[in-house]
Amino acid sequence: MERTRGAVDRVSELIRELSETGKVIVDAAKQQAKQRLGGMVLAGSMDKVRIETTSVASQLDSFSRYLMGSVKGQFVSELLQDAVARGHKPSVVLEYTADSVSEFVIGDQLGALASVPEGVIVGGHPNIGDVVKRFAHKAMTFKAVDGLGNAHEFRVAGFDDWLDRFLAEVDDARLDDLRVNVFDRTREAAEALGMTFEDITGRKYEFRTGENGEVRAFLRDKPQTADAVARYNMGQTDILGLNSGAATGVSAQASPAHGGDVRRREMIKLAFQREITDERQVEGRVHRAGQIMPPRYSIPVTGFAPDDRIANLFNRANRSLTSSTSATRENRTNADHAVDILNPVGERAARMVLAKNPQIADMLDIDIEKGQDIARKLLGRSVMLPLAEQSAVLSEVDSMFRVISDKMTAEGTNPLRLQFYDWNAKVEHVEDLIPGDPGSRGIAAEPLRLNRVIYEEKVESLSAKTVIGNISDNARQREEPFENPHKAWTYDKAVVRGVADFDHHLFGSVMGRVAEGGRASVAFTSSEGGGDRTHARLPVGDGQDTEQAGTGRERGRVPGAERGACGTRSGRWAAALCAAVHGLQGIGGRQAQGGVAFIVRGLGAARNVGPFGAGPQAGQGAIAYRTGSADRA
């Protein structure tokens, strides 16, 4: 295992170098595209010509899956032996077929492969080094696509020396043992154990090692899926290989209805499928109706960051798939071994850890200040870190995640945990909407019932004085300054001897005051005389006479109204204001009890704000603040 860890560390260095150089190549590709394509690109007509380059970051998901498959494939022989020793019948699952890497290894001989039944000699089995080489070659090319979809591929000039040196470094890393043709490796392990193997993945190529050690590539003679599964069920084939391509229409469970070999099935999952639906389909090949016993699933775990990332992606999709039926994130099929950070809590944890380790963020090109999806980027790009640093970073993130999660759970704010509340409710049957048989085992035959949930809730009201006292006590405990609303608003000065002082700042919003040259003014509307009339803007508190549209009024008096009990005139809006000030029948149908109600915004229907907070708004109306209790009339 130490040799494997050393090889993975070397691969991480190569990917990191490829990523850093890849950014320079992309910039050079864009400049060379302008030189080659001339005015169309220079004029910004990218709708006519689109430049496509290959980013290393965009390839990291595929690379991580290849890398983890190659690592786990080294132990496929031990996994098969363990399954057989348990008396089980094994199958092996992988996500990819590695056909694209195989074609890269075969190279120019690919065209002649069909006419050479004995296969063609290649440099070796496809391995993770070939994956890195293929990525490097793809980074050296860019594609120009015009508006009609015609593509022209060009090679980026000026990087040939770097590419030769980089490919030589990959060869020197000696990565032959990290093979990505895992199904060929499984076949070899089965033959060494004296067992037979068939795979129904649909892959095109296979590689075999000759007696003299040379490796030959062949076109596969693909078996018929139904025939291969029948041989597996009857015991003629000992081990079956499959992926999402063989995930439908196959019954390989331990059932006498399908074959005589009814040993318990054991599925060795060397990789999760990209799509959760494919994963469920693959699992269902050996777990179906009619089986005499359920299967066993074996998932080898490396502990490497790329492995945790793939498991996180699986967990997130798995939870999403089951949440609609179970209403919970918890699922017994989740991969609990992985650091769970692809969620809001994990996002906070990853951001905090990277903020304390900015050198890691810089190395992985993660912007912790403005960047989004920090946790996803950390998991995806951590493959470029040495294994020791991967483990250290993920361990710190995991610890931070647990601290934040426990704190939020204690506060009742954890988004990853369901909050339960015992309503102590009773279910009362109302009526049967559709009649049926209550004892039926079929849902369609059961009655459709309308039920009502009844519960009792004790509600205790608090006076404004108690609320203000509680807030003051809490503020003192937090050692934060707190100003009592009574002192802040000084509403005792707004009403003197039962008469409202409209010059008081509390009525500024009601009176429509705006700043004009350093003094306040008020604008309002009267509906006297059967129609609305907009009156002029009046200076407030300046002691000058006021001229209005219509008839003149006395100094400082409210226009459009007759004198009323409040010392103002009795227009409709003034009466409502007066009533609210005196705690009588107020705007919006409220009645103040034991306190004074103030209108602090608008003149329409009020909305209930309680002692401090605003409740549902009934139109563009007033907000009533009450020092005592107030009830809706």
Side-chain angles (χ1 to χ4, degrees):
M1 189 62 185
E2 287 302 318
R3 185 177 183 280
T4 299
R5 291 181 64 88
V8 173
D9 281 342
R10 185 69 183 110
V11 171
S12 298
E13 294 178 13
L14 294 170
I15 287 294
R16 189 161 59 249
E17 179 183 352
L18 181 57
S19 177
E20 294 171 355
T21 308
K23 299 173 186 177
V24 181
I25 295 175
V26 168
D27 292 338
K30 293 179 180 179
Q31 292 297 325
Q32 293 176 26
K34 292 180 180 180
Q35 296 173 5
R36 285 176 175 270
L37 301 174
M40 288 186 294
V41 175
L42 291 174
S45 52
M46 301 301 286
D47 57 329
K48 296 182 179 179
V49 177
R50 185 177 69 255
I51 305 301
E52 297 180 355
T53 58
T54 301
S55 168
V56 175
S58 66
Q59 305 294 314
L60 288 179
D61 177 70
S62 296
F63 176 77
S64 298
R65 295 178 185 274
Y66 279 128
L67 179 61
M68 290 301 97
S70 66
V71 171
K72 296 178 182 181
Q74 296 180 98
F75 305 97
V76 68
S77 179
E78 289 84 349
L79 294 168
L80 292 175
Q81 292 181 61
D82 178 75
V84 174
R86 295 172 183 270
H88 300 167
K89 188 175 181 64
S91 58
V92 178
V93 175
L94 199 62
E95 190 268 338
Y96 60 82
T97 61
D99 278 344
S100 58
V101 184
S102 298
E103 292 176 352
F104 177 81
V105 171
I106 297 171
D108 296 337
Q109 303 182 87
L110 189 62
L113 195 61
S115 59
V116 184
E118 66 273 15
V120 297
I121 299 176
V122 294
H125 289 279
N127 58 61
I128 197 65
D130 295 312
V131 177
V132 176
K133 290 180 180 179
R134 182 169 173 267
F135 285 172
H137 279 285
K138 291 178 66 176
M140 289 287 293
T141 60
F142 68 90
K143 187 183 297 184
V145 184
D146 60 24
L148 298 178
N150 300 315
H152 306 278
E153 193 168 277
F154 302 96
R155 185 178 179 85
V156 183
F159 293 89
D160 291 338
D161 292 341
W162 169 83
L163 181 62
D164 292 340
R165 179 184 59 78
F166 182 78
L167 296 180
E169 289 181 1
V170 175
D171 291 333
D172 293 341
R174 303 178 65 83
L175 303 172
D176 298 341
D177 204 34
L178 294 178
R179 292 168 51 181
V180 297
N181 59 331
V182 179
F183 285 118
D184 286 331
R185 196 164 203 165
T186 304
R187 185 198 65 244
E188 295 169 3
E191 292 172 351
L193 295 173
M195 296 185 290
T196 55
F197 169 80
E198 282 189 273
D199 77 76
I200 53 177
T201 61
R203 61 193 180 104
K204 301 177 183 178
Y205 313 100
E206 67 179 9
F207 295 80
R208 294 179 178 271
T209 304
E211 295 180 357
N212 57 356
E214 66 182 13
V215 179
R216 290 180 175 269
F218 300 84
L219 278 177
R220 281 190 69 223
D221 185 13
K222 302 176 187 177
Q224 292 293 323
T225 299
D227 295 341
V229 173
R231 289 190 289 269
Y232 176 76
N233 288 331
M234 290 186 293
Q236 298 175 9
T237 298
D238 298 307
I239 305 168
L240 187 68
L242 63 160
N243 64 355
S244 60
T248 56
V250 174
S251 298
Q253 73 272 31
S255 170
H258 294 281
D261 193 341
V262 292
R263 286 179 291 169
R264 185 184 185 187
R265 304 305 196 240
E266 178 167 341
M267 180 173 283
I268 301 171
K269 299 168 69 173
L270 298 181
F272 293 110
Q273 307 300 303
R274 290 178 186 266
E275 300 293 334
I276 187 62
T277 52
D278 290 339
E279 183 70 26
R280 286 286 173 262
Q281 287 288 338
V282 168
E283 291 175 349
R285 297 312 95 200
V286 296
H287 185 34
R288 302 175 68 79
Q291 62 189 12
I292 61 175
M293 64 186 71
R296 181 175 186 263
Y297 298 98
S298 298
I299 305 174
V301 176
T302 63
F304 298 165
D307 208 12
D308 278 355
R309 173 186 175 274
I310 295 171
N312 263 268
L313 294 174
F314 165 77
N315 285 342
R316 184 169 65 174
N318 195 35
R319 287 164 178 151
S320 177
L321 183 67
T322 58
S323 61
S324 60
T325 56
S326 62
T328 178
R329 298 176 75 254
E330 307 306 322
N331 192 307
R332 63 187 180 89
T333 61
N334 287 342
D336 295 330
H337 65 274
V339 179
D340 183 19
I341 64 174
L342 292 183
N343 51 64
V345 180
E347 183 75 8
R348 287 181 56 185
R351 192 180 294 272
M352 294 174 68
V353 169
L354 290 180
K356 293 193 301 181
N357 299 274
Q359 72 282 1
I360 300 295
D362 292 340
M363 185 181 300
L364 301 180
D365 193 23
I366 298 177
D367 184 355
I368 58 176
E369 296 295 332
K370 301 179 181 179
Q372 302 295 325
D373 295 332
I374 301 298
R376 180 183 59 81
K377 292 177 181 177
L378 174 61
L379 280 178
R381 300 177 188 180
S382 58
V383 68
M384 295 187 289
L385 298 175
L387 290 178
E389 289 189 31
Q390 290 180 18
S391 300
V393 171
L394 290 186
S395 295
E396 190 169 353
V397 172
D398 188 35
S399 298
M400 184 66 69
F401 172 87
R402 296 180 189 280
V403 169
I404 297 174
S405 181
D406 291 344
K407 180 177 181 294
M408 297 181 74
T409 299
E411 295 173 347
T413 59
N414 193 338
L416 309 182
R417 295 285 183 270
L418 284 177
Q419 302 299 322
F420 296 96
Y421 181 81
D422 185 6
W423 292 94
N424 193 24
K426 299 179 181 179
V427 179
E428 180 182 88
H429 177 62
V430 179
E431 62 175 316
D432 286 344
L433 301 178
I434 301 177
D437 180 12
S440 175
R441 299 182 62 182
I443 296 178
E446 294 180 353
L448 178 61
R449 292 177 171 174
L450 175 63
N451 294 330
R452 177 168 51 209
V453 177
I454 302 175
Y455 69 95
E456 295 182 358
E457 182 179 5
K458 184 179 180 181
V459 179
E460 295 182 0
S461 60
L462 298 177
S463 65
K465 181 178 180 180
T466 302
V467 173
I468 293 174
N470 292 341
I471 296 176
S472 301
D473 293 340
N474 184 65
R476 281 194 293 271
Q477 293 175 5
R478 294 175 177 266
E479 297 182 352
E480 297 176 354
F482 173 74
E483 190 174 27
N484 190 303
H486 182 282
K487 297 178 180 179
W489 291 356
T490 58
Y491 55 77
D492 54 337
K493 298 179 181 179
V495 179
V496 180
R497 297 179 182 178
V499 178
D501 178 10
F502 294 108
D503 291 343
H504 193 275
H505 67 84
L506 181 62
F507 297 101
S509 178
V510 178
M511 303 299 293
R513 291 194 186 102
V514 294
E516 287 187 350
R519 58 179 184 168
S521 63
V522 57
F524 47 82
T525 300
S526 170
S527 58
E528 186 180 49
D532 291 341
R533 286 189 296 170
T534 300
H535 295 268
R537 191 174 299 276
L538 303 179
V540 176
D542 61 358
Q544 298 179 8
D545 289 339
T546 301
E547 292 295 329
Q548 311 168 50
T551 59
R553 299 299 183 210
E554 298 178 11
R555 178 186 303 177
R557 301 299 185 181
V558 178
E562 299 298 330
R563 180 176 298 277
C566 293
T568 67
R569 296 181 185 269
S570 57
R572 185 171 59 184
W573 71 269
L577 180 61
C578 174
V581 170
H582 283 280
L584 302 176
Q585 181 67 35
I587 294 176
R590 284 169 179 74
Q591 182 174 357
Q593 298 176 352
V596 179
F598 289 100
I599 310 299
V600 295
R601 191 181 71 187
L603 293 174
R607 62 175 180 174
N608 188 1
V609 297
F612 294 101
Q617 183 173 2
Q620 296 297 323
I623 299 177
Y625 173 77
R626 299 175 298 283
T627 59
S629 62
D631 300 321
R632 185 181 298 274

